[in-house]
Amino acid sequence: GGGSFGFCFSTLDEVGSCGAMESDKEGWKSANQMRVKSSRPSEKVPLAPGRSQLDWFRAMATFPVRTPRPISQDEVAMHGTEDDAWMILRGKVYRITDYLEFHPGGVKKLMMGAGRDGTNLFEKYHPYVNADAILGKLVVGYAVD
């Protein structure tokens, strides 16, 4: 028999890392040695130089921490452009404008949730992702009715 497991780690000094291992009769293999089967093809787009996820985490480290406030759905709806994009994810309101060019799926995909609650869309493509780890300092508030 064989098995598999995934793992993630991070320290205070570096960005978190994730990986996967699987075993078979030949022993353990790392993620880059595994054959990965996907239910849908990758929809990543080429990013401009300086727009990798590592670049994003470096940039985000310089952002100030905001004090969250209650924000209505109507107010979020007023922020649905590439110049001013907000999105609700799991009850938190994020100002995603600064992240648009860093999103691996491209600006257009991220804009599908701008100005509204993008939780269902996010869960469809990223059910395993901790949005706060990626967008934490972009929180402007929490959604209220």
Side-chain angles (χ1 to χ4, degrees):
S4 64
F5 70 93
F7 59 91
C8 292
F9 67 91
S10 64
T11 69
L12 294 175
D13 298 327
E14 62 184 58
V15 176
S17 299
C18 294
M21 300 289 288
E22 86 177 357
S23 70
D24 60 15
K25 293 177 186 174
E26 299 170 15
W28 289 98
K29 297 178 183 178
S30 69
N32 59 354
Q33 297 170 315
M34 297 180 334
R35 291 184 189 154
V36 178
K37 295 180 181 175
S38 175
S39 59
R40 63 181 175 267
S42 173
E43 296 183 26
K44 292 182 180 180
V45 299
L47 298 174
R51 296 295 186 254
S52 72
Q53 289 299 288
L54 184 55
D55 293 320
W56 169 249
F57 282 105
R58 287 181 182 141
M60 191 173 66
T62 67
F63 296 169
V65 176
R66 295 182 172 121
T67 302
R69 63 180 178 84
I71 300 174
S72 70
Q73 301 269 346
D74 289 340
E75 184 176 354
V76 172
M78 294 187 300
H79 301 275
T81 67
E82 288 185 26
D83 295 327
D84 182 25
W86 291 14
M87 181 187 301
I88 301 169
L89 293 174
R90 300 176 182 152
K92 293 183 179 181
V93 180
Y94 297 90
R95 182 184 177 276
I96 60 169
T97 311
D98 293 329
Y99 183 65
L100 291 174
E101 292 182 5
F102 292 87
H103 185 252
V107 173
K108 287 182 182 180
K109 289 286 184 187
L110 200 54
M111 287 302 296
M112 291 170 61
R116 64 187 188 94
D117 190 331
T119 302
N120 290 337
L121 186 62
F122 183 84
E123 293 290 338
K124 178 180 176 182
Y125 292 97
H126 309 297
Y128 51 86
V129 174
N130 178 344
D132 237 12
I134 297 172
L135 305 172
K137 287 191 174 177
L138 302 182
V139 170
V140 292
Y142 51 92
V144 294
D145 292 331

